Amino acid sequence: MTMRQPSADENLAALGWGDWQRQALNESNSGANVPARVVRQAGAGVWIDTGNERIAATVAGRLRRAAASAAELPVVGDWVLIPEPVGTNSDVVMIQRLIPRRTVLMRRRAGGKAEAQLLGANIDIALIVWALDREPNTALLERAVVVARAGGIEPVILLTKADLREGSSKDVQVVRTRLALEVLPVEHAHVDRGTSARS
Protein backbone atom coordinates (compact mmCIF):
# COMPACT_ATOMS: atom_id res chain seq x y z
CA MET A 1 0.00 0.00 0.00
CA THR A 2 1.37 3.42 -0.92
CA MET A 3 2.16 5.80 1.89
CA ARG A 4 0.11 8.97 1.70
CA GLN A 5 1.89 12.18 2.60
CA PRO A 6 -0.37 14.55 4.52
CA SER A 7 -1.20 17.68 2.59
CA ALA A 8 -1.27 21.19 4.04
CA ASP A 9 -5.05 21.26 4.15
CA GLU A 10 -5.07 18.36 6.64
CA ASN A 11 -3.84 20.74 9.34
CA LEU A 12 -1.14 18.41 10.59
CA ALA A 13 1.40 21.24 10.47
CA ALA A 14 -0.50 22.94 13.31
CA LEU A 15 0.10 19.80 15.39
CA GLY A 16 3.85 19.87 14.76
CA TRP A 17 4.11 17.80 11.59
CA GLY A 18 7.27 18.70 9.66
CA ASP A 19 10.26 17.45 7.70
CA TRP A 20 11.54 15.20 10.51
CA GLN A 21 8.25 13.34 10.82
CA ARG A 22 7.86 13.17 7.06
CA GLN A 23 11.30 11.57 6.72
CA ALA A 24 10.53 9.08 9.50
CA LEU A 25 7.28 8.16 7.74
CA ASN A 26 9.08 7.60 4.45
CA GLU A 27 11.48 5.20 6.18
CA SER A 28 8.67 3.25 7.82
CA ASN A 29 7.49 -0.01 6.27
CA SER A 30 3.90 -0.40 7.42
CA GLY A 31 0.48 -0.90 5.90
CA ALA A 32 -0.91 1.74 8.26
CA ASN A 33 -0.73 4.88 6.19
CA VAL A 34 -2.51 7.68 8.07
CA PRO A 35 -0.40 9.72 10.51
CA ALA A 36 -1.95 11.16 13.66
CA ARG A 37 -0.74 12.66 16.91
CA VAL A 38 -1.57 11.45 20.40
CA VAL A 39 -3.14 14.38 22.24
CA ARG A 40 -4.59 12.74 25.34
CA GLN A 41 -4.27 9.58 27.43
CA ALA A 42 -7.31 8.14 29.18
CA GLY A 43 -6.61 4.89 31.03
CA ALA A 44 -5.61 2.19 28.57
CA GLY A 45 -6.84 4.23 25.61
CA VAL A 46 -5.70 7.41 23.93
CA TRP A 47 -7.16 10.21 21.86
CA ILE A 48 -5.49 11.06 18.58
CA ASP A 49 -5.74 14.02 16.19
CA THR A 50 -5.57 13.33 12.46
CA GLY A 51 -5.53 17.00 11.56
CA ASN A 52 -9.19 16.76 10.64
CA GLU A 53 -10.72 15.30 13.80
CA ARG A 54 -9.99 13.97 17.28
CA ILE A 55 -10.94 10.36 17.79
CA ALA A 56 -10.55 7.62 20.40
CA ALA A 57 -7.90 5.02 19.67
CA THR A 58 -6.42 1.90 21.19
CA VAL A 59 -3.09 0.15 20.70
CA ALA A 60 -3.09 -2.90 18.43
CA GLY A 61 -2.39 -6.16 20.27
CA ARG A 62 0.64 -6.85 18.08
CA LEU A 63 2.20 -3.52 19.01
CA ARG A 64 1.40 -4.00 22.71
CA ARG A 65 2.91 -7.51 22.79
CA ALA A 66 6.06 -6.32 21.04
CA ALA A 67 6.67 -3.56 23.59
CA ALA A 68 9.46 -4.43 26.02
CA SER A 69 8.13 -1.85 28.50
CA ALA A 70 5.40 0.75 28.92
CA ALA A 71 7.81 3.35 27.52
CA GLU A 72 7.45 1.75 24.08
CA LEU A 73 3.69 2.36 24.00
CA PRO A 74 2.09 5.60 22.76
CA VAL A 75 2.07 8.67 25.03
CA VAL A 76 0.97 12.25 24.54
CA GLY A 77 3.06 13.85 21.80
CA ASP A 78 3.73 10.64 19.90
CA TRP A 79 3.11 10.40 16.17
CA VAL A 80 1.40 7.15 15.22
CA LEU A 81 0.15 5.37 12.12
CA ILE A 82 -3.42 4.16 11.79
CA PRO A 83 -5.26 2.31 9.01
CA GLU A 84 -7.10 4.09 6.24
CA PRO A 85 -10.00 4.75 5.97
CA VAL A 86 -10.40 6.10 9.51
CA GLY A 87 -13.39 5.24 11.67
CA THR A 88 -15.54 3.54 9.05
CA ASN A 89 -16.20 0.28 10.88
CA SER A 90 -15.69 1.26 14.50
CA ASP A 91 -15.83 4.26 16.77
CA VAL A 92 -12.34 3.36 18.03
CA VAL A 93 -9.41 3.15 15.63
CA MET A 94 -6.42 0.88 16.11
CA ILE A 95 -2.89 2.28 16.39
CA GLN A 96 -0.67 0.05 14.28
CA ARG A 97 2.74 1.66 14.65
CA LEU A 98 4.74 4.40 16.35
CA ILE A 99 6.74 6.84 14.27
CA PRO A 100 10.22 7.06 15.90
CA ARG A 101 10.44 9.71 18.60
CA ARG A 102 12.65 12.77 18.29
CA THR A 103 12.69 13.72 21.99
CA VAL A 104 11.27 12.26 25.22
CA LEU A 105 10.43 13.49 28.71
CA MET A 106 11.03 10.80 31.32
CA ARG A 107 11.21 10.54 35.11
CA ARG A 108 11.86 7.80 37.63
CA ARG A 109 8.77 6.06 38.91
CA ALA A 110 7.79 6.69 42.51
CA GLY A 111 8.72 4.03 45.04
CA GLY A 112 12.32 3.56 44.01
CA LYS A 113 11.61 1.38 40.98
CA ALA A 114 14.35 1.40 38.36
CA GLU A 115 11.91 1.62 35.45
CA ALA A 116 11.50 5.14 34.07
CA GLN A 117 8.09 6.67 33.40
CA LEU A 118 7.60 8.27 30.00
CA LEU A 119 5.61 11.49 30.36
CA GLY A 120 5.60 12.81 26.80
CA ALA A 121 7.30 12.64 23.43
CA ASN A 122 8.39 14.92 20.59
CA ILE A 123 8.61 18.00 22.80
CA ASP A 124 10.68 20.93 21.57
CA ILE A 125 10.80 23.18 24.64
CA ALA A 126 10.18 22.48 28.33
CA LEU A 127 9.05 25.49 30.37
CA ILE A 128 10.25 24.97 33.95
CA VAL A 129 8.16 27.24 36.17
CA TRP A 130 9.00 28.68 39.58
CA ALA A 131 7.04 31.42 41.41
CA LEU A 132 9.25 34.12 42.92
CA ASP A 133 6.98 34.77 45.87
CA ARG A 134 9.51 32.49 47.56
CA GLU A 135 13.26 32.01 47.10
CA PRO A 136 14.06 29.78 44.12
CA ASN A 137 15.46 26.32 44.79
CA THR A 138 18.24 26.26 42.20
CA ALA A 139 19.11 22.63 42.93
CA LEU A 140 15.55 21.55 42.16
CA LEU A 141 15.47 23.69 39.01
CA GLU A 142 18.79 22.20 37.94
CA ARG A 143 17.42 18.66 38.29
CA ALA A 144 14.48 19.60 36.06
CA VAL A 145 16.91 21.03 33.50
CA VAL A 146 18.90 17.79 33.54
CA VAL A 147 15.73 15.73 32.95
CA ALA A 148 14.75 17.89 29.98
CA ARG A 149 18.20 17.83 28.39
CA ALA A 150 18.53 14.08 28.89
CA GLY A 151 15.57 13.64 26.57
CA GLY A 152 16.84 16.09 23.95
CA ILE A 153 14.45 18.87 25.02
CA GLU A 154 15.48 22.53 25.28
CA PRO A 155 14.80 23.81 28.83
CA VAL A 156 13.66 27.38 29.53
CA ILE A 157 13.20 28.70 33.07
CA LEU A 158 10.02 30.73 33.60
CA LEU A 159 10.09 32.75 36.85
CA THR A 160 6.61 34.03 37.62
CA LYS A 161 5.45 36.66 40.18
CA ALA A 162 8.74 38.48 39.65
CA ASP A 163 7.36 41.68 41.19
CA LEU A 164 5.89 40.26 44.40
CA ARG A 165 8.99 39.94 46.57
CA GLU A 166 11.84 42.32 47.29
CA GLY A 167 15.08 41.04 45.82
CA SER A 168 13.46 38.92 43.13
CA SER A 169 15.49 40.68 40.42
CA LYS A 170 18.62 39.38 42.15
CA ASP A 171 17.06 35.91 42.26
CA VAL A 172 16.55 36.04 38.50
CA GLN A 173 20.23 36.83 37.98
CA VAL A 174 21.32 34.08 40.38
CA VAL A 175 19.24 31.47 38.53
CA ARG A 176 20.46 32.70 35.16
CA THR A 177 24.11 32.52 36.25
CA ARG A 178 23.81 29.19 38.10
CA LEU A 179 22.00 27.34 35.29
CA ALA A 180 23.57 29.17 32.32
CA LEU A 181 20.44 29.13 30.20
CA GLU A 182 17.53 31.32 29.20
CA VAL A 183 15.51 32.67 32.14
CA LEU A 184 12.25 34.57 31.55
CA PRO A 185 10.90 36.65 34.47
CA VAL A 186 7.14 37.33 34.36
CA GLU A 187 5.45 39.93 36.55
CA HIS A 188 2.22 39.20 38.39
CA ALA A 189 -0.79 41.06 36.99
CA HIS A 190 -2.24 43.28 39.73
CA VAL A 191 -6.01 43.75 39.75
CA ASP A 192 -7.57 46.15 42.24
CA ARG A 193 -11.11 44.86 42.66
CA GLY A 194 -12.07 47.75 44.93
CA THR A 195 -11.72 50.49 42.33
CA SER A 196 -12.98 51.09 38.84
CA ALA A 197 -11.87 53.33 36.03
CA ARG A 198 -13.92 56.47 35.47
CA SER A 199 -13.95 58.57 32.32
Side-chain angles (χ1 to χ4, degrees):
M1 183 178 291
T2 303
M3 288 287 185
R4 183 186 61 146
Q5 295 295 338
S7 59
D9 60 4
E10 290 179 292
N11 299 320
L12 283 178
L15 299 174
W17 184 268
D19 292 339
W20 194 93
Q21 290 80 11
R22 190 173 295 107
Q23 179 63 30
L25 178 58
N26 286 335
E27 295 172 357
S28 175
N29 296 315
S30 173
N33 66 337
V34 176
R37 194 162 198 187
V38 178
V39 294
R40 178 186 169 198
Q41 289 178 271
V46 298
W47 284 81
I48 59 174
D49 197 322
T50 65
N52 294 319
E53 59 180 337
R54 289 192 175 188
I55 49 180
T58 189
V59 180
R62 175 187 56 79
L63 182 58
R64 192 177 295 278
R65 289 190 296 272
S69 70
E72 295 183 9
L73 297 174
V75 296
V76 171
D78 268 324
W79 287 96
V80 297
L81 297 177
I82 57 177
E84 187 181 32
V86 179
T88 54
N89 298 321
S90 173
D91 291 335
V92 180
V93 300
M94 197 73 68
I95 295 173
Q96 302 292 334
R97 187 179 177 118
L98 276 172
I99 293 178
R101 295 164 177 149
R102 188 166 49 84
T103 64
V104 293
L105 182 62
M106 304 188 80
R107 70 176 180 188
R108 289 184 178 180
R109 285 189 180 274
K113 294 183 179 179
E115 183 182 358
Q117 181 183 10
L118 183 60
L119 302 177
N122 300 311
I123 300 166
D124 296 321
I125 298 173
L127 292 178
I128 302 168
V129 182
W130 186 275
L132 286 179
D133 54 355
R134 63 194 189 282
E135 185 177 352
N137 184 331
T138 53
L140 184 61
L141 290 171
E142 194 167 21
R143 286 199 293 273
V145 167
V146 169
V147 169
R149 285 178 169 163
I153 302 168
E154 179 184 353
V156 174
I157 303 294
L158 189 65
L159 299 178
T160 65
K161 302 183 179 180
D163 57 336
L164 292 189
R165 188 172 60 85
E166 187 177 349
S168 61
S169 58
K170 181 180 178 181
D171 289 335
V172 171
Q173 189 56 45
V174 167
V175 172
R176 185 177 284 130
T177 302
R178 170 77 179 269
L179 302 183
L181 51 74
E182 187 172 7
V183 175
L184 303 177
V186 179
E187 292 187 357
H188 180 71
H190 292 283
V191 178
D192 187 348
R193 299 182 183 274
T195 60
S196 61
R198 295 175 183 264
S199 56

